Every structure is written in structure tokens, then in C-alpha cells.
Amino acid sequence: MTLTAAARPLGTRSAATLTAHTATGLAVSASLVAALLSATASPASADTAGTYDTCPQVYYYVVPEGSPGLEAIADLILDDPERADEIHELNAGRTQSDGQALGEDRALQAGWRLVVPFDSGGEGVYEGRDPLCVVAVDQANAQGVAPPSPHPAPPAYSPPPEEEPSAEQGEVTDVTPQDDKPKIDPRLLAAGAAVLILLTLLTLFWQPIGRAIAWPFRRIAALPWRRPRKPRSARIAAATRRRRAATERVTADPDAVHRAGGAHADLLGAPAEVPARPVAILTTPGETTAIVPAGATPPATSWRVVDTTTWRYARGSGSSGPLNFAASTHTMVRPVVNGVLACLGTLEDGDALVHVDLTRTRGLLAVGGDRTIAADAVRVIADALHSKGLTVRVLRSGQPLHSLVTATPPDLTAPDPVHGLEHSAEHPLVVVVPRPLGTADEHVLGGIPPNTLVVGTGESIHARWQWEAHEDGTVDTGALGLRVVLRLPERRQ
């Protein structure tokens, strides 16, 4: 028996698919040839030589492992998935070697030999005697009975007749058949479109794209570790100069305290849907800015919104000179609140003076980081609170914290550090801890009385505000989002 693989060329297929089908076809062909040779060598086959001539010459396809179905096979060997019905008609009811047959569900099993049309081709398609007929002849010879009548060979493929052009259509242009037209891989089209879009974007926006690409390299080049670190004495001297300049700027603008207080009272007294509770007031001789919690409603006429948490006092276009909040006219719906503002210094990246609102601050305000700068920050805050008339008690050296702060059960409903408490006419008791906070203080800090403000150096998990002092003379105010160049503390008399 002669097996010949069909050689009709099909559409372009991937090298991996061709290699897999080639290996499958070779393995199946080798097993089939070995079975036929062993059958031929048996005595029963020797007595019935030539009975294979009754088996028709056909094209058949060996179903590989993991076959997706008749439609995929028809697309593979015929380039037309709609011709799966032809394969089904040729093989319906034909008993395969495992005793099963192709049914209406079109389920396939690996190793089946499916008779396919004569125009089939590609990997897995072979030409030879009907393999199922050959098996039936071998079984009949082994049993000594007459072989069954073979199935008729499938009809040769005949293409549908072309329509004759009518007289009205005129001349007919010779068109290349659809199968012979070159096919373009959609992935190539997608890659070409992506390249075209990329080139267009580079042409239109090459400058911002170039800046975006260069940005990380500039940031890396600007990192401090790339520059030689100055000696500590030089760093301390530079920080002192910055702080002295901030102190001189605060001293040169004595009206800043009144502008900050007026802005604070204006925000608290103005009618609004969600009253503003400023957490910091930034002032310059010609501009006043308020840092407020997100979600507050600005007054209708006095303030304009810069961003979500930043408002700026809006002066009239013809106004010049210092701001005068007392001249604003509005209906007071709440009594004027005398705020407790502490001027810390100036913004790191500007000349504005920073006044932090401590009116509603209760609990622990801890300043960690550099010990020297942190201690100065505690002194600046304590001096500002003392100047506002608040009672300030300083913890002496060696004195335990519970001697000034009586531990109480913690307030589980304490507010966040930005919104603060509702205003009360009663000023808080201020306890200043000049030494670093220790582990022995934690049980006291976890139960600070409701109307007590503790200001200390170090870090604590119970801090309402946790600030960070740096060696360059600046203080990061944490939740406030401000970095301040700390002013020098006032000299003791």
C-alpha cells in the first residue's frame, strides 16, 4: 500500500504550526505503515493478496491530539471552514479503528482517519487506499470471511460554473481569484499604525516629550549626594543665616500679626455653607493667603479659591496699600473668635510669614528630627502661646510628665489634626516638654486631658501633629503641608 502526502499549497502558516503538523503526520504515517507491513506479513494476508485493490484510492486526514473541530480542519486543509459539511458527509457512520464513528455532534477523537475531498492539502493529509477499508479487509482475512463492500470514493471536486456576462454588463475585467490574492497580516497593519501614530506625536510634541524624558536625569543630577557634603560647622552656619534672615523679615513687618488675626476672624465670622476653619495664615505686605481644610466653602466676596485647600484674599482692582479686614461688611452669624496664632517664620520657597492656628489644637504637638532645631521650634511655639495670654507650664529637668499632666482615659472621638475641635471660650493649658519624649511618657500622652496642649520634642504615636525639624533650619509641618524656615527664639530677659 502506498501513502502519499498531499502537496496542495495553502495560505501562509507559522513555522511552529507547520513543524507540529509535520511531526504529527510523520508519526501517524510510521505507525500506519508498521501496522500494514505486519498485516501483510501474516499468513492470512498472504492468502488474500490483491484484495486491497477493492479499496478505493482516497485522500484522508489523520486527526491529531487536541483537534479543535471539523470547521478548523476544513479551514486548515481546504482554506474554507464552510466545507466542514462535506467532510461530515464523507465520514458520517464510518466506524473508526476504536469502534466509534463521527456523529451529529461532530466530536472527533485523536487518531481517526477522516476521508476528505480530493482538493485537500497541507500537513496531515495523505493519499492512498481507504485506511478504514484496509482495516476491514485485514479483519475479514483474519476471520476467513469475505471482506465487506467498500465505501464509494468521494467525488472529485468540481468548481461551480462561472456566470456568463450579459450584454448589458459589457466587457468583463479579469479579476484574480480570491484565494490567489496576497493576504496582509493584521498584526503588521497594527504595528504600522502604531509607528505612524508615534511619529506623528513626536513631530507635534517633540519639545514636551524631550523635557519629560530629560526630567528624571535632571532630578538625579540635582540630588544632594552628587555634590560634596559641607562640614557640619558650615551647614550649621548656613542654617543660622537662613533663620536670622527669616527673623529679620518677621521683625520688619509688625503689621503681619494684625493682618493674620483679621483674616482669621473674617473667615470664622463670614457666612458660608461649610464654615472655614483656617489652619494657617500666610501674609506678606500685599497679600494674605489662608490654608483651610478641604471641603470648606469660601465667603462669597472676600476670598477667591487658588486650589482645594488654599484661599487668597481678593482686594478690589483699584485698592492699594495694606489690607484692612475691618472695612469688610457682612452679616455676623457667629461671635468673633480671638484666634491663637503662632508665627513660626517664613515659607522655605517664599517671603510669606507663616502663622499657624493653634486655637483648636489639643493633645500632643511633637517636633522630631534634629534636636537643636526641634528644641528651638518648641520655644518659638511656647513664646507665641504665652504672648497670647495662655497659661504655659514648662516641665523642669528630672520632673516626670505626669506631675503636670494628669493621665485620663483617652478620648476615642478626638478629631483629626486639621479640623480640630469646636471653639471654646476657655483657653487650653499649655505644657512644654523641653526634653525628648521617652517611653515612660507614652502612658500619659495617651490620656491627655481634653483642654490641655502638650508641646514637646521627639516622636510619639499619640501626637495630633507630628512635625519634623531639619538640620538646614526648616520645619516640616506634616499635615499642614508647609515647610517653614524657623525663626530664632526670643532672647530671655
Side-chain angles (χ1 to χ4, degrees):
M1 175 179 174
T2 303
L3 302 178
T4 306
R8 185 182 64 85
L10 294 176
T12 304
R13 305 186 185 276
S14 65
T17 303
L18 294 178
T19 303
H21 284 298
T22 301
T24 303
L26 290 176
V28 172
S29 300
S31 62
L32 184 58
V33 170
L36 293 180
L37 289 177
S38 63
T40 305
S42 64
S45 300
D47 296 339
T48 58
T51 56
Y52 294 140
D53 295 338
T54 60
C55 297
Q57 194 79 8
V58 296
Y59 282 82
Y60 61 94
Y61 175 80
V62 180
V63 179
E65 291 286 345
S67 176
L70 284 183
E71 285 76 12
I73 293 175
D75 185 32
L76 178 66
I77 65 177
L78 295 170
D79 278 346
D80 188 1
E82 295 182 358
R83 297 185 64 184
D85 293 336
E86 298 181 28
I87 302 177
H88 183 267
E89 292 176 2
L90 294 175
N91 295 274
R94 287 169 54 89
T95 303
Q96 299 290 332
S97 58
D98 57 357
Q100 304 183 43
L102 180 64
E104 294 297 332
D105 58 352
R106 300 192 177 190
L108 300 176
Q109 298 295 332
W112 282 10
R113 272 71 169 173
L114 301 179
V115 177
V116 295
F118 283 101
D119 59 333
S120 302
E123 299 297 332
V125 178
Y126 302 92
E127 178 184 3
R129 299 290 182 180
D130 187 351
L132 299 183
C133 177
V134 171
V135 173
V137 170
D138 290 341
Q139 292 176 354
N141 291 338
Q143 297 174 4
V145 297
S149 300
H151 289 270
Y157 175 76
S158 58
E162 298 181 357
E163 296 181 2
E164 294 293 334
S166 61
E168 296 180 356
Q169 295 177 349
E171 296 182 357
V172 179
T173 304
D174 185 12
V175 181
T176 304
Q178 185 69 22
D179 292 343
D180 296 338
K181 289 185 177 180
K183 297 182 179 179
I184 301 178
D185 192 346
R187 292 175 294 184
L188 294 178
L189 293 177
V195 172
L196 181 60
I197 294 174
L198 180 61
L199 293 177
T200 303
L201 293 177
L202 289 176
T203 303
L204 296 177
F205 307 105
W206 65 272
Q207 289 183 338
I209 291 175
R211 288 195 295 268
I213 295 175
W215 180 82
F217 299 99
R218 293 177 179 175
R219 296 290 295 179
I220 293 175
L223 289 176
W225 56 265
R226 294 185 59 86
R227 296 189 298 269
R229 186 175 177 85
K230 296 180 179 180
R232 178 174 175 78
S233 58
R235 297 196 303 270
I236 294 176
T240 303
R241 288 193 297 270
R242 295 182 67 186
R243 296 179 59 191
R244 186 178 293 111
T247 305
E248 293 175 355
R249 202 169 285 121
V250 173
T251 306
D253 189 8
D255 292 335
V257 177
H258 303 288
R259 292 197 303 271
H264 184 268
D266 184 73
L267 287 172
L268 294 180
E273 296 180 4
V274 180
R277 294 176 177 177
V279 294
I281 304 292
L282 313 180
T283 63
T284 62
E287 186 176 81
T288 301
T289 304
I291 307 299
V292 298
T297 305
T301 57
S302 303
W303 299 82
R304 61 183 178 88
V305 177
V306 178
D307 55 41
T308 306
T309 59
T310 305
W311 298 350
R312 187 160 294 150
Y313 184 77
R315 294 186 301 173
S317 58
S319 176
S320 60
L323 306 180
N324 184 8
F325 290 94
S328 61
T329 303
H330 52 259
T331 303
M332 301 295 292
V333 296
R334 292 183 301 276
V336 177
V337 178
N338 293 324
V340 180
L341 303 178
C343 182
L344 299 182
T346 62
L347 279 179
E348 183 185 27
D349 54 354
D351 297 334
L353 305 185
V354 180
H355 305 265
V356 178
D357 183 17
L358 302 176
T359 307
R360 297 178 176 83
T361 304
R362 301 294 186 272
L364 173 62
L365 193 162
V367 185
D370 185 84
R371 290 192 176 184
T372 302
I373 305 300
D376 287 350
V378 171
R379 284 186 56 187
V380 169
I381 296 173
D383 292 342
L385 296 178
H386 184 267
S387 65
K388 296 296 182 180
L390 275 68
T391 302
V392 179
R393 297 180 180 177
V394 181
L395 189 69
R396 297 179 181 177
S397 177
Q399 187 179 8
L401 181 60
H402 63 79
S403 62
L404 296 182
V405 179
T406 304
T408 60
D411 186 6
L412 301 180
T413 61
D416 60 85
V418 176
H419 288 80
L421 300 168
E422 289 293 337
H423 174 68
S424 174
E426 183 181 359
H427 288 304
L429 170 66
V430 181
V431 176
V432 178
V433 184
R435 62 171 174 79
L437 298 170
T439 55
D441 302 325
E442 290 296 325
H443 71 283
V444 179
L445 297 175
I448 298 176
N451 200 38
T452 303
L453 172 61
V454 178
V455 183
T457 61
E459 298 178 355
S460 174
I461 60 175
H462 301 291
R464 289 276 182 257
W465 279 357
Q466 180 66 63
W467 294 359
E468 187 74 14
H470 299 277
E471 189 184 33
D472 59 355
T474 61
V475 175
D476 188 352
T477 57
L480 301 185
L482 301 175
R483 194 179 179 99
V484 184
V485 178
L486 185 67
R487 61 180 296 183
L488 294 173
E490 298 179 359
R491 294 183 179 180
R492 301 295 183 186
Q493 297 294 336

